């Protein structure tokens, strides 16, 4: 999906056909203002994708956000609730175009899960370890989970968020 509403309901993350990703804040009166515009990789804003930005996602608590594009990249950021800014964390290069992103709590971690076109596996990227559980992944680790019961690489379906 090209847009997502933050957990607080006041911010909208939007992925655009020009490759940009923007964040808007909406006040109770419905008037919106742009909080974040595309910038260079200086950690002060959101990177544009080289091609069409296909999807984006907020984490459940609103501390993380991510965007994916036809340039086969996923950009991951931390979101500051106090300052209203995104800090660039990293880019993950995929083997194809990422089509769906979702943040989930699993394996003792907060993970970003991506579905990539023509891939039989989902990519689980560990972002934060939860101290309440014994983690089965380490921060920064990427695990591929094959969606086919027999483990083959044939893809006849697409996972959409």
């Amino acid at each position: 999906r090209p847009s997502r509403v933050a957990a607080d309901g006041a911010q909208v993350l939007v992925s655009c056909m020009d490759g940009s990703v923007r964040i808007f804040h909406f006040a109770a009166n419905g008037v919106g203002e742009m909080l974040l515009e595309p910038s260079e990789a200086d950690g002060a804003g959101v990177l544009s994708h080289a091609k069409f930005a296909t999807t984006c996602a907020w984490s459940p608590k609103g501390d993380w956000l991510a965007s994916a594009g036809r340039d086969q990249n996923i950009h991951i950021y931390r979101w500051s609730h106090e300052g209203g800014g995104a800090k660039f964390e990293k880019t993950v290069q995929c083997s194809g175009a990422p089509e769906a992103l979702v943040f989930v709590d699993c394996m003792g971690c907060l993970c970003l899960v991506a579905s990539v076109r023509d891939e039989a596996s989902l990519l689980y990227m560990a972002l934060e370890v939860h101290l309440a559980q014994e983690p089965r992944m380490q921060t920064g680790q990427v695990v591929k989970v094959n969606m086919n019961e027999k483990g083959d690489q044939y893809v006849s379906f697409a996972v959409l968020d």
Side-chain angles (χ1 to χ4, degrees), residues 44-93:
V46 176
L47 297 173
S48 287
H49 289 274
K51 296 181 179 179
F52 171 28
T54 54
T55 191
C56 53
W58 287 101
S59 66
K61 294 180 183 174
D63 298 344
W64 292 85
L65 58 105
S67 65
R70 293 290 163 130
D71 59 1
Q72 300 182 352
N73 289 320
I74 299 170
H75 299 312
I76 303 170
Y77 309 87
R78 281 189 184 268
W79 178 255
S80 168
H81 295 282
E82 293 81 36
K87 180 182 181 294
F88 174 74
E89 290 290 324
K90 70 183 203 173
T91 295
V92 176
Q93 177 73 42

Side-chain angles (χ1 to χ4, degrees), residues 1-4 14-21 49 51-57 66-74 96-101 115-117 160-161:
R1 296 189 286 187
S3 66
R4 295 296 175 95
V14 181
S15 56
C16 304
M17 290 186 72
D18 66 358
S20 68
V21 177
H49 289 274
K51 296 181 179 179
F52 171 28
T54 54
T55 191
C56 53
S67 65
R70 293 290 163 130
D71 59 1
Q72 300 182 352
N73 289 320
I74 299 170
E99 294 188 327
L101 296 173
S115 171
V116 178
R117 179 181 284 280
L160 301 175
D161 52 358

Side-chain angles (χ1 to χ4, degrees), residues 90 124-127 136-143:
K90 70 183 203 173
Y124 283 74
M125 296 163 266
L127 302 175
R136 295 193 317 226
M137 291 178 70
Q138 300 300 316
T139 300
Q141 184 178 0
V142 177
V143 174

